[in-house]
Amino acid sequence: MAIRDSFKRALEDLRISVTDRCNLRCLYCMPLAEYDWVERRELLTFEEIERLARLFISLGAQKICLTGGEPLLRREIEVLARKLARLPGLGDLSLTTNGVLLADHATTLREAGVKRINVSLDTLKPERFRQIAQRGELEKVLAGIEAARLAGFKPIKINSVIERGVNDDEIPDLVEFARANGYTVRFIEYMDVGNANHWKLDRVVTKSEIVKRISARYAVEPAGREDASAPADNFRFLDGKGEFGVVASVTEPFCRACTRARLTADGNLVTCLFSDCGHDLKGLMRAGASDETITGRIREIWKKRADRFSEERFEAMKSPEGYQPEGRRKIEMIVLGG
Ligand code: SAM
Ligand code: SF4
Ligand code: SF4
């Protein structure tokens, strides 16, 4: 039975973070070398994740995305994917990865029942990759994307966070890369997630700027959203060579249609990407709560949900005082699962 929050938004999508660890240190996400990592015994087990996923599905969730940190660092991730893919009522199982380890996992993930793969790729220049991600190699990511293509994943979505002065000059090249290989690129406006990335509004390349730059080279037309709650606004290339999307969380916030719940690696339910706290479901489970008690708790949390952080940010941006990103403590993205 679908549940609705205080703005009548249903709970339709669940993003599950399977680890807070990452093998990269992207400056816009996880810039520091060390964090207060979740201890191993605090991580949800696969059985616990499967149980919670089943309960979320019973409350109306239709799509699950595995994320992190870097989800491919979680040992035997395919075993979890297989368990989730089998759950009755689940319409879509996807995974969002930085691609570094994807070449080793693409085939097994597909066999396990993962339907779609999203790969983060912010640059096609090896040196710049190293500057942005601080670790790892671009070559591995490109090999990972190719492996996913060969494994039969379609569509493959490429996520590119664009930051002014860092990689905005590569927007057309990323578009060309995607068009040439049959991928869909989604440009993501740089957001003030977490507390450590020193976000500044003037670093955000807006959706209208992105679309303008692409339109200077290609004829495009608006194609709308995949569905009402999809974060990306899409544009179609008039020559028939696919689409690109823009996730405009900063300049065109879409909180009104946000149907997304997040489960952290240590078992907290988080109702917004910009929340400052979560709700402990693992504790309930480990104390022996029944399915009814847990669904009751999720229902109660969701009913009270009134998050609309990106809309509030947008309103503050337009106010005389402007928006002060330091004014609010948030959970780091690696913890809550981006
Ligand atoms: N490690 C995986 C990856 O990079 O795809 C999955 C987790 S990552 C947190 C999920 C997505 O969040 C990535 O596409 C990443 O680019 C995006 N992201 C991280 N920090 C961001 C920021 N400050 N603004 C916009 N998107 C961000
Ligand atoms: Fe790691 Fe993904 Fe964050 Fe980059 S964006 S630091 S790959 S979790
Ligand atoms: Fe959803 Fe929060 Fe993002 Fe708004 S800011 S779209 S409520 S996650």
Side-chain angles (χ1 to χ4, degrees), residues 27-305:
L27 290 173
Y28 53 74
C29 173
M30 191 187 192
L32 311 177
E34 289 299 325
Y35 288 83
D36 286 335
W37 307 111
V38 171
E39 283 179 45
R40 211 182 157 74
R41 63 170 187 276
E42 300 300 333
L43 282 181
L44 290 180
T45 64
F46 287 172
E47 288 68 31
E48 287 170 334
I49 294 176
E50 182 188 16
R51 180 176 180 204
L52 285 176
R54 180 168 53 74
L55 299 181
F56 276 97
I57 293 169
S58 76
L59 293 169
Q62 292 145 28
K63 298 181 190 170
I64 288 182
C65 181
L66 297 175
T67 180
E70 173 47 40
L72 299 186
L73 286 181
R74 179 81 189 243
R75 224 177 296 155
E76 301 194 322
I77 183 76
E78 286 83 358
V79 173
L80 174 66
R82 191 167 295 115
K83 283 177 188 291
L84 298 180
R86 276 200 303 249
L87 289 174
L90 184 63
D92 187 44
L93 179 63
S94 62
L95 180 133
T96 297
T97 171
N98 62 30
V100 174
L101 299 173
L102 187 54
D104 298 334
H105 289 270
T107 307
T108 44
L109 284 170
R110 182 141 173 92
E111 284 164 4
V114 173
K115 293 209 174 118
R116 293 182 304 111
I117 294 266
N118 309 310
V119 188
S120 297
L121 179 71
D122 307 320
T123 178
L124 295 165
K125 299 181 179 176
E127 273 171 36
R128 186 175 280 179
F129 179 90
R130 198 69 187 196
Q131 280 159 11
I132 298 173
Q134 302 190 84
R135 298 180 183 182
E137 284 157 40
L138 173 65
E139 209 179 302
K140 291 252 167 69
V141 179
L142 296 177
I145 298 172
E146 175 66 6
R149 191 174 66 83
L150 293 175
F153 284 105
K154 199 169 164 62
I156 292 173
K157 288 187 182 163
I158 305 290
N159 289 335
S160 305
V161 176
I162 300 298
E163 191 177 341
R164 193 179 308 284
V166 174
N167 63 343
D168 53 326
D169 56 332
E170 282 192 76
I171 294 171
D173 294 346
L174 288 162
V175 166
E176 202 37 57
F177 170 75
R179 278 166 52 91
N181 292 287
Y183 311 139
T184 301
V185 58
R186 290 190 298 193
F187 295 103
I188 306 177
E189 287 183 349
Y190 174 40
M191 295 185 287
D192 56 324
V193 290
N195 308 289
N197 67 5
H198 305 296
W199 180 89
K200 289 204 175 51
L201 184 55
D202 61 13
R203 293 296 191 97
V204 177
V205 182
T206 66
K207 173 184 156 192
S208 69
E209 229 179 313
I210 292 170
V211 174
K212 211 173 176 183
R213 289 201 206 177
I214 297 172
S215 307
R217 205 196 271 190
Y218 306 95
V220 303
E221 66 178 7
R225 293 179 195 265
E226 237 168 64
D227 58 64
S229 64
D233 202 3
N234 297 327
F235 295 82
R236 194 176 296 120
F237 295 107
L238 292 185
D239 64 4
K241 276 194 161 179
E243 294 188 349
F244 72 94
V246 187
V247 180
S249 326
V250 179
T251 63
E252 290 178 24
F254 39 83
C255 299
R256 215 154 299 178
C258 180
T259 54
R260 218 163 247 203
R262 296 184 146 81
L263 189 58
T264 65
D266 58 347
N268 282 291
L269 167 59
V270 178
T271 57
C272 175
L273 190 49
F274 298 92
S275 292
D276 58 357
C277 67
H279 307 269
D280 182 20
L281 298 182
K282 181 188 69 202
L284 260 187
M285 264 192 304
R286 293 193 181 171
S290 66
D291 286 357
E292 290 67 34
T293 304
I294 298 169
T295 47
R297 179 76 184 118
I298 298 171
R299 191 178 277 125
E300 185 183 49
I301 295 164
W302 194 261
K303 263 189 170 168
K304 286 194 193 139
R305 177 181 189 246

Side-chain angles (χ1 to χ4, degrees), residues 22 24-26 28-30 69 98 334:
C22 189
L24 300 183
R25 287 291 184 280
C26 303
Y28 53 74
C29 173
M30 191 187 192
N98 62 30
I334 42 153

